[in-house]
Amino acid sequence: MSESLTLFSRVCNFFNYFQDPYLVSRFQNYFGVYRIDVIKNGNLNGSVVKSEKETHEKFKNDCNNVITIKYKKQDDDIVLRHRKTLSSGSENSKSSPLTSDGEEISDVDSDSENAIKCKIKSKFWYYFFSFGAGLGYEMFYASFFPFWIWNIDGAVCRRVINVWVLIMYVGQAMKDIICWPRPAAPPVIHLEPHYVVEYGMPSTHAMVGAAVPFSFLYFTLYRYEYNVIYGILIASAWCILVCCSRLYMGMHTVLDIIGGLSLVAVLMAAILPFSDFIDHFQLTNPYSPLFTIAFMLLLQIIYPKTERWTPARGDTAVIMGTGTGFALGSWLNYRLGVIRGPPIPPPYMIMWPGYKVFGLALLRAIIGISCIVATRAFFKSVTYGLLCFVMRVDSKDLKSKQKILVEIPAKFITYTAIGFVITYVAPFVFRLLCIERATAFTEV
């Protein structure tokens, strides 16, 4: 009995240590992110300032490389709720941070009730980790996946996207089931306040930061001839950068990241062995579009409900729609004979591009991304307006965008169209312009 209690105590200590927001705060401080608190009663950042001149000089010095984190009203409510959770649940935070005269440090700027100032000491680390955080967002994948399909290897990218869709769905759903908040602020500084309303456990950034690079490594391992060590190093560096960026941005605890990495390891072990079968079914089965659409809609229907609105469900609809569009476009390419298999089996040598190939790749990217932007603008406005009309809600009201029967179908339809454009329409345009990649038709 005592051994069981000891083990349970160790597990609890493990969870408490890695869930501690002060651990995230120390990470931010180490890389030069600090809070700037307002001047109150001659105090600045917790130290007594003796004269008005000293106050001015200290404030001037602290205002170099200062950024203001602005919360929306809903975000601000979440931050306050997280702060209450921290103050009641952590030994290190039984009281709020105090200035030297015993007053509570304000979390807001004197000119705004929902703004926090922080100092970035190193611009290098700020942009470095901002880039790492960007590796998990829509903007990156909206250009990265199309670039792979148009310029490198569509067969590999299709399989990676299937893995990405399934893993992100599970991760987003788990967030809304577990409902653990983001790290409490203070002490943490949320450098991406627009994501505060979303729950934190598990870190889907950590999940996608591991799933995407290691999936590419897995699917190219026996398809191309290259040094595997380099592939492992690149995939590991990608994953570590994404995970560390979430700590730097103050959006996840260490436990969130550990949970995300553990979950993605289990999911990839279950999904990767069946990835070739799934891809073959999606390409060759005459009824695969019906199965794909029905499966994606079913996943949306059974998605867990939450007490309050979060972006997670809408982001999931974006991912599911993208996966559906990719599957539909790839299936149509195969049915029309656009892609029909390689003349020789892998592995293949990697041919590094010359100036002409690089120029054509750049041209394809410009034309293709222009098609994506136009498709997104058209379908986003049309589907949203139509759904608001059908549901009899005001399209100008911001709350309408948070209604499930408006937000989810609008995003799903829009990104299904985008996925279809990426895999079918854009390559069709490339063929008309005679700039299609020579080996694109061989990638089954």
Side-chain angles (χ1 to χ4, degrees):
M1 184 68 177
S2 60
E3 292 181 359
S4 300
L5 290 175
T6 302
L7 179 61
F8 179 75
S9 177
R10 288 179 179 177
V11 171
C12 289
N13 290 337
F14 172 86
F15 274 79
N16 290 334
Y17 177 76
F18 287 110
Q19 198 180 12
D20 188 358
Y22 284 92
L23 195 60
V24 181
S25 180
R26 288 196 293 271
F27 185 91
Q28 289 185 308
N29 294 162
Y30 182 82
F31 286 99
V33 181
Y34 297 93
R35 300 174 65 86
I36 291 184
D37 302 306
V38 297
I39 302 174
K40 295 179 68 176
N41 299 332
N43 288 271
L44 180 64
N45 291 335
S47 60
V48 177
V49 182
K50 297 180 180 179
S51 65
E52 184 177 346
K53 181 179 179 181
E54 186 180 348
T55 300
H56 176 74
E57 290 298 324
K58 188 170 180 61
F59 185 74
K60 182 179 178 181
N61 291 335
D62 274 353
C63 283
N64 294 326
N65 298 332
V66 169
I67 62 174
T68 301
I69 310 299
K70 292 186 177 180
Y71 292 91
K72 296 178 182 178
K73 180 64 173 68
Q74 185 180 11
D75 298 348
D76 200 36
D77 293 340
I78 300 300
V79 171
L80 292 173
R81 192 180 307 139
H82 291 186
R83 191 180 309 153
K84 290 177 182 177
T85 303
L86 173 68
S87 62
S88 62
S90 174
E91 293 181 1
N92 295 331
S93 53
K94 290 181 180 178
S95 60
S96 300
L98 302 177
T99 59
S100 58
D101 65 346
E103 290 197 52
E104 183 177 345
I105 292 177
S106 173
D107 287 293
V108 296
D109 183 70
S110 56
D111 297 327
S112 174
E113 293 185 353
N114 57 351
I116 298 173
K117 288 187 180 293
C118 68
K119 182 175 182 179
I120 307 295
K121 277 196 170 182
S122 173
K123 289 185 178 180
F124 170 78
W125 290 120
Y126 177 76
Y127 290 115
F128 180 75
F129 286 117
S130 294
F131 171 76
L135 294 178
Y137 287 131
E138 174 191 344
M139 187 64 70
F140 172 73
Y141 289 108
S143 54
F144 180 74
F145 285 149
F147 186 86
W148 259 87
I149 285 184
W150 299 333
N151 299 305
I152 302 177
D153 192 323
V156 170
C157 196
R158 288 196 311 270
R159 291 165 170 81
V160 172
I161 286 170
N162 285 332
V163 174
W164 172 67
V165 168
L166 294 174
I167 282 177
M168 286 299 291
Y169 176 84
V170 174
Q172 296 283 55
M174 290 297 293
K175 276 187 177 182
D176 286 341
I177 292 173
I178 298 174
C179 296
W180 282 9
R182 299 285 189 179
V188 172
I189 303 166
H190 296 138
L191 296 181
E192 295 176 336
H194 42 290
Y195 289 106
V196 170
V197 294
E198 189 177 294
Y199 295 114
M201 177 67 170
S203 169
T204 48
H205 257 81
M207 294 179 70
V208 76
V212 170
F214 283 102
S215 292
F216 273 111
L217 178 65
Y218 178 84
F219 293 124
T220 58
L221 192 59
Y222 298 105
R223 188 173 176 85
Y224 293 100
E225 297 176 353
Y226 65 93
N227 193 323
V228 179
I229 300 299
Y230 293 148
I232 294 174
L233 290 176
I234 292 172
S236 300
W238 181 327
C239 180
I240 292 170
L241 173 58
V242 172
C243 292
C244 290
S245 74
R246 305 319 290 155
L247 297 177
Y248 181 89
M249 293 294 173
M251 303 311 294
H252 285 289
T253 63
V254 177
L255 188 62
D256 294 340
I257 292 171
I258 293 173
L261 293 176
S262 302
L263 181 58
V264 76
V266 174
L267 291 173
M268 288 184 71
I271 295 171
L272 289 179
F274 300 99
S275 55
D276 287 338
F277 169 78
I278 295 171
D279 182 67
H280 184 265
F281 174 82
Q282 288 180 332
L283 283 181
T284 61
N285 191 290
Y287 302 106
S288 72
L290 297 178
F291 283 105
T292 300
I293 294 173
F295 179 67
M296 296 297 188
L297 291 177
L298 175 63
L299 291 180
Q300 286 292 331
I301 292 171
I302 65 174
Y303 189 89
K305 296 180 180 179
T306 56
E307 295 180 357
R308 59 177 173 83
W309 179 88
T310 70
R313 186 162 192 162
D315 292 343
T316 305
V318 168
I319 294 166
M320 306 295 281
T322 304
T324 303
F326 269 79
L328 297 181
S330 300
W331 175 83
L332 188 57
N333 279 327
Y334 185 83
R335 300 299 293 181
L336 296 178
V338 177
I339 52 176
R340 51 186 179 273
I344 57 174
Y348 309 116
M349 291 182 60
I350 295 178
M351 297 180 293
W352 298 103
Y355 291 113
K356 181 180 179 180
V357 174
F358 182 80
L360 289 175
L362 183 61
L363 182 60
R364 285 192 291 267
I366 293 172
I367 295 173
I369 291 175
S370 299
C371 293
I372 293 173
V373 171
T375 302
R376 184 179 184 274
F378 175 78
F379 276 90
K380 183 179 180 180
S381 59
V382 170
T383 54
Y384 177 68
L386 184 60
L387 287 166
C388 286
F389 175 77
V390 172
M391 299 301 298
R392 299 183 183 279
V393 295
D394 184 7
S395 60
K396 296 180 181 179
D397 186 359
L398 294 178
K399 291 184 179 180
S400 299
K401 294 184 178 181
Q402 297 181 3
K403 292 183 179 294
I404 291 179
L405 294 179
V406 174
E407 178 191 20
I408 304 307
K411 289 186 174 181
F412 184 81
I413 294 170
T414 298
Y415 283 87
T416 297
I418 289 174
F420 185 79
V421 166
I422 291 170
T423 51
Y424 181 78
V425 177
F428 178 76
V429 173
F430 300 156
R431 287 195 297 276
L432 291 179
L433 298 176
C434 299
I435 60 172
E436 187 182 31
R437 183 165 48 90
T439 58
F441 70 94
T442 67
E443 293 161 357
V444 172

